[in-house]
Amino acid sequence: MEKQDVVIVGAGFAGLYALHALRGLGLSARVFEAGDDVGGTWYWNRYPGARCDVESLEYSYSFSRELEQEWRWKERYAPQAEILAYAQHVADRFDLRRDIQFCTRVTVAHFDEESGRWTVTTDAGGAVSAQFLVMATGCLSAPRLPDLPGLREFKGRVLQTSQWPKEPVDFAGQRVAVIGTGSSGIQAIPLIAAQAAQLTVYQRTPNFSVPARNRLVGDSERDAVLAGYPAMRERLRTSFTSLGSGDPPPVSARSTAAAVRTAEYRRRWDAGGTGFLFAYNDLILDREANETAAQFIRDRIAETVKDPVTAAHLQPRSFPIGTKRLCLD
């Protein structure tokens, strides 16, 4: 039986870094990955419009100064293909692939109390003994089709955003139904609608969404970040949000005049990004303060969606903003 110090399950961002870090500690490791390449989420989620909602210059590894300087992110919010290319570059640059076994799923992991070791068995028929087992599988790694009556008998094509095919899907001339208006739905729906002959969206619960204001990253902006990466990383690690949008100011929404508050919400709305949620220090602590931000977004929906009945269906009212994932559109 093959022996390793560590077995890592998953070759996404966590698995790749775990392998690199463990090598630095002088430990041997074997990575098992179900896909045929690295990337994790960004390998599987190939649906139209798939894009990160953390700014690309922040959404990157910080363990290598050289890596930081050599990679050039093209957009404010990187699309799936660019992030996958980045993960592939990291795997190649640090020679990680030689310890990764692709197209392999772990089926059993048994810990022996007496020996203090794991026996990890895969669907490829092999087994590895290791002292440590690192599950770098992510929190959303097990896709599940909804249990809808008649779905198994449906004669059309069924697609799932978390298991999108590698080849492009042509929706031209098709009637398409999309179920859900969460982050993936909000990203995919506009692009599918541009192709499909007819698109119907089925929604259980509307979600709060703010504009991304995505754009190309200019050379001067990129160069400034590259020059100041160490300071930026330290600021992010010690901040409340861990995002470049910064921590909430020491100002309460409830104690701010309505006109001033609306102007600040508008400024953040126009700037784009999840920093909207941290305009004031009590938005995620006080329901009354939270409602001022929620109503601002409902008003923007009413401005955008001309039919008042449809607009009402798209305005979240059953939960405070920020208690579910804030979507970027």
Side-chain angles (χ1 to χ4, degrees), residues 52-177:
C52 189
D53 58 4
V54 176
E55 298 199 27
S56 55
L57 287 162
E58 303 169 29
Y59 193 82
S60 54
Y61 287 119
S62 61
F63 66 82
S64 168
R65 179 70 170 162
E66 293 75 19
L67 175 63
E68 285 182 331
Q69 295 300 307
E70 68 193 20
W71 187 263
R72 296 293 188 268
W73 294 103
K74 298 180 179 64
E75 300 182 50
R76 181 184 181 188
Y77 295 99
Q80 174 267 333
E82 188 177 10
I83 303 174
L84 178 59
Y86 175 73
Q88 293 167 336
H89 171 75
V90 171
D92 293 336
R93 191 192 189 287
F94 296 97
D95 190 24
L96 301 179
R97 294 180 186 273
R98 60 183 167 89
D99 290 322
I100 304 174
Q101 185 169 320
F102 294 105
C103 301
T104 305
R105 291 184 178 275
V106 170
T107 54
V108 178
H110 174 74
F111 184 71
D112 182 73
E113 295 283 352
E114 186 174 341
S115 65
R117 296 185 66 85
W118 290 90
T119 299
V120 180
T121 306
T122 72
D123 60 2
V128 178
S129 172
Q131 184 178 356
F132 301 102
L133 176 64
V134 175
M135 300 300 294
T137 48
C139 59
L140 301 172
S141 58
R144 179 182 179 274
L145 278 175
D147 187 18
L148 300 177
L151 182 62
R152 304 298 175 186
E153 293 75 42
F154 178 62
K155 301 301 182 184
R157 189 174 185 183
V158 177
L159 298 163
Q160 199 167 7
T161 53
S162 59
Q163 291 187 308
W164 203 263
K166 288 184 178 181
E167 66 277 4
V169 179
D170 185 8
F171 292 103
Q174 302 293 309
R175 289 188 302 154
V176 182

Side-chain angles (χ1 to χ4, degrees), residues 2 66 78 118 123 132 182 184 187 201 217 224 226 243 245 257 324:
E2 178 185 348
E66 293 75 19
W118 290 90
D123 60 2
F132 301 102
S184 298
Q187 290 179 335
V201 177
V217 176
L226 293 179
L243 298 172
S245 54
K324 283 188 173 186

Side-chain angles (χ1 to χ4, degrees), residues 107-308:
T107 54
V108 178
H110 174 74
F111 184 71
D112 182 73
E113 295 283 352
E114 186 174 341
S115 65
R117 296 185 66 85
W118 290 90
T119 299
V120 180
T121 306
T122 72
D123 60 2
V128 178
S129 172
Q131 184 178 356
F132 301 102
L133 176 64
V134 175
M135 300 300 294
T137 48
C139 59
L140 301 172
S141 58
R144 179 182 179 274
L145 278 175
D147 187 18
L148 300 177
L151 182 62
R152 304 298 175 186
E153 293 75 42
F154 178 62
K155 301 301 182 184
R157 189 174 185 183
V158 177
L159 298 163
Q160 199 167 7
T161 53
S162 59
Q163 291 187 308
W164 203 263
K166 288 184 178 181
E167 66 277 4
V169 179
D170 185 8
F171 292 103
Q174 302 293 309
R175 289 188 302 154
V176 182
V178 176
I179 301 176
T181 54
S183 291
S184 298
I186 281 174
Q187 290 179 335
I189 286 167
L191 297 185
I192 296 174
Q195 294 184 43
Q198 177 184 325
L199 175 69
T200 303
V201 177
Y202 293 89
Q203 171 185 268
R204 182 193 65 180
T205 308
N207 278 284
F208 287 103
S209 179
V210 297
R213 309 294 184 198
N214 188 44
R215 52 174 169 73
L216 295 176
V217 176
D219 291 341
S220 59
E221 178 186 4
R222 185 189 299 108
D223 291 345
V225 172
L226 293 179
Y229 250 139
M232 187 189 84
R233 300 291 194 190
E234 182 60 25
R235 185 174 68 254
L236 296 181
R237 289 190 180 99
T238 57
S239 73
F240 173 73
T241 64
S242 297
L243 298 172
S245 54
D247 291 345
V251 180
S252 163
R254 292 184 62 179
S255 63
T256 301
V260 175
R261 191 172 58 218
T262 299
E264 177 62 15
Y265 289 151
R266 172 64 73 176
R267 184 186 72 80
R268 290 177 179 255
W269 178 269
D270 291 343
T274 54
F276 178 89
L277 191 57
F278 305 105
Y280 295 98
N281 64 5
D282 54 353
L283 292 187
I284 59 174
L285 300 174
D286 183 276
R287 185 62 184 264
E288 186 176 332
N290 183 281
E291 179 61 20
T292 65
Q295 188 56 47
F296 178 89
I297 291 185
R298 294 189 199 109
D299 291 343
R300 303 292 76 73
I301 294 172
E303 289 176 354
T304 304
V305 184
K306 302 309 179 185
D307 176 51

